[in-house]
């Protein structure tokens, strides 16, 4: 569907589409990582967050027998409400064992639930490959 845009509104229109794309990529990345996270008490799964130019959320505190499962469709945004052009968005998990779950071999810190090391990088690659499709969907929206 064609949109009639005044020449003075082209920048605002493009920025709006770009920000929608950022929002969808952040949401898809968060959702994928939450859903693929190994689960014991839900602490790891509940500790994913999205930061805007920031990665300060330390994760859920230790000591509980179980943690509420996060809603994978509602990213935990730290220090901001809406994705905007010009910022860096990071989906992260700062628990002390997060890196080991990503990099260690099975039996040495990784989890069978993630199919072994590299699951975070594989998620990043998969979401990157989705960007052209997401952009086309956004472009087709009125």
């Amino acid at each position: 569907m064609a949109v009639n845009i005044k020449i003075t509104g082209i920048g605002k229109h493009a920025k709006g589409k770009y920000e929608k794309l950022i929002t969808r990529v952040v949401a898809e990345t968060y959702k994928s990582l939450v859903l693929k996270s190994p689960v014991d008490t839900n602490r790891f799964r509940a500790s994913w967050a999205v930061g805007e130019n920031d990665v300060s959320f330390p994760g859920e505190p230790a000591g509980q027998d179980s943690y509420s499962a996060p809603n994978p469709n509602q990213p935990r945004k730290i220090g901001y409400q809406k994705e905007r052009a010009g910022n860096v968005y990071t989906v992260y998990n700062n628990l002390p064992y997060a890196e080991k779950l990503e990099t260690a071999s099975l039996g040495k810190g990784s989890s069978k639930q993630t199919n072994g090391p590299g699951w975070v990088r594989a998620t990043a690659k998969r979401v990157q490959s989705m960007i052209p499709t997401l952009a086309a969907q956004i472009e087709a929206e009125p």
Side-chain angles (χ1 to χ4, degrees):
M1 169 187 231
V3 177
N4 188 8
I5 305 169
K6 291 183 179 182
I7 195 142
T8 56
I10 291 173
K12 183 178 178 182
H13 176 76
K15 182 179 177 187
K17 296 285 187 175
Y18 180 62
E19 288 176 347
K20 279 185 180 181
L21 180 61
I22 294 168
T23 298
R24 291 198 189 160
V25 169
V26 165
E28 180 61 35
T29 304
Y30 178 87
K31 178 180 180 177
S32 294
L33 290 171
V34 165
L35 293 176
K36 290 180 183 205
S37 291
V39 177
D40 180 16
T41 64
N42 252 343
R43 182 178 179 217
F44 186 74
R45 189 174 270 191
S47 293
W48 286 104
V50 181
E52 178 183 78
N53 307 315
D54 179 36
V55 292
S56 63
F57 177 66
E60 293 294 330
Q64 294 178 218
D65 291 335
S66 66
Y67 296 79
S68 297
N71 182 343
N73 295 311
Q74 292 182 327
R76 173 185 264 166
K77 297 177 180 184
I78 304 299
Y80 78 102
Q81 298 297 314
K82 184 177 185 211
E83 288 80 8
R84 299 194 189 284
N87 294 297
V88 174
Y89 295 93
T90 306
V91 180
Y92 64 97
N93 192 318
N94 277 343
L95 289 185
Y97 53 89
E99 188 172 347
K100 198 169 192 177
L101 279 170
E102 164 63 3
T103 61
S105 58
L106 286 173
K108 297 192 185 210
S110 193
S111 171
K112 293 177 189 173
Q113 293 178 43
T114 64
N115 294 323
W119 62 281
V120 174
R121 287 183 303 254
T123 297
K125 282 184 176 183
R126 186 184 63 77
V127 173
Q128 279 182 322
S129 73
M130 293 172 63
I131 291 174
T133 302
L134 293 171
Q137 290 170 353
I138 291 166
E139 188 58 34
E141 296 172 359

